[in-house]
Amino acid sequence: MQDPIKTLFTECIQTQIAAADMLQEPIEMACNLLVDSLLNGRKVYCCGEGLAHATSRHFAHIMLTGLSFERPPFPVTSLHADYGALEYDRMFAQQLQAVGQPSDVLIVFNASERAPRVSRAMEAALSRDMLIIALTQNSDVDIAGLLGPDDVEIRIPTSNAARASEHLLQISNMLCSVVEHRIFPQETD
């Protein structure tokens, strides 16, 4: 039983090392985009495909309540995943069509290969002149092609959905922490 568990730890560590080498620049770009948007009164919306939607909700929660210290809430909303919606594939897109404004930010999370609901949300965001931050993984086939020159992709260096899911959570925490400290530099841990 120990060998499979050690193998999982090893896979996780290897993905961590690869991510540390590859993702510093796109995470920095995403933080800059978030700070600029928040300081200019823009809103941030987020959603995730499948299980990655839990990371979207986590991200919205820590951006509202604070991660590192007590602070005013940031205007971040996780789009509602109404699985009883009549147009299930358009559930995120419809919400953005109702509330999204130019220069607002959409953050999408996806740990799998396909992302039909998130892709539709991205199309809606593009039609509203919103900016996009996409957290994806190596085998993504739906999201990267929708990104424009002002958007940011954070592509986790794995095709393993479990390793990608772990990193989605870690990167969402990193984004919140960096944004908090840039907007409130007087605060310390």
Side-chain angles (χ1 to χ4, degrees):
M1 188 75 163
Q2 292 294 354
D3 288 340
I5 293 170
K6 187 173 182 178
T7 299
L8 291 172
F9 273 113
T10 301
E11 286 176 9
C12 183
I13 291 166
Q14 290 171 340
T15 305
Q16 289 275 5
I17 291 168
D21 291 338
M22 298 174 62
L23 299 183
Q24 186 170 349
E25 183 178 339
I27 290 172
E28 178 76 24
M29 291 169 55
C31 290
N32 291 341
L33 178 60
L34 286 168
V35 168
D36 183 61
S37 296
L38 292 170
L39 290 177
N40 285 298
R42 298 293 170 207
K43 292 183 175 53
V44 177
Y45 301 96
C46 51
C47 63
E49 193 70 39
L51 294 176
H53 190 65
T55 303
S56 168
R57 293 180 54 148
H58 169 80
F59 179 75
H61 174 76
I62 61 176
M63 291 293 281
L64 282 169
T65 62
L67 180 66
S68 304
F69 49 86
E70 190 174 328
R71 58 160 172 81
F74 295 139
V76 178
T77 301
S78 180
L79 300 174
H80 180 65
D82 182 0
Y83 295 104
L86 295 177
E87 294 188 56
Y88 179 68
D89 284 351
R90 294 186 26 79
M91 65 183 168
F92 297 138
Q94 289 173 325
Q95 294 169 70
L96 287 176
Q97 289 167 336
V99 297
Q101 297 295 315
S103 299
D104 282 348
V105 176
L106 171 66
I107 302 179
V108 297
F109 298 90
N110 183 38
S112 58
E113 186 175 305
R114 305 305 308 227
R117 288 164 291 285
V118 164
S119 297
R120 294 239 178 149
M122 291 173 69
E123 291 167 355
L126 293 170
S127 75
R128 310 285 296 175
D129 294 321
M130 294 173 64
L131 300 166
I132 300 171
I133 298 171
L135 283 79
T136 65
Q137 48 88 6
N138 280 342
S139 63
D140 169 72
V141 295
D142 287 340
I143 293 175
L146 295 172
L147 296 170
D150 295 327
D151 299 327
V152 178
E153 181 182 22
I154 302 171
R155 184 174 283 259
I156 299 164
T158 185
S159 294
N160 181 308
R163 300 297 77 78
S165 292
E166 293 163 356
H167 280 75
L168 291 178
L169 183 60
Q170 180 183 25
I171 293 168
S172 72
N173 288 339
M174 287 179 180
L175 292 172
C176 182
S177 181
V178 171
V179 168
E180 282 181 336
H181 284 92
R182 287 196 183 158
I183 292 178
F184 298 100
Q186 69 278 11
E187 297 294 334
T188 59
D189 288 338

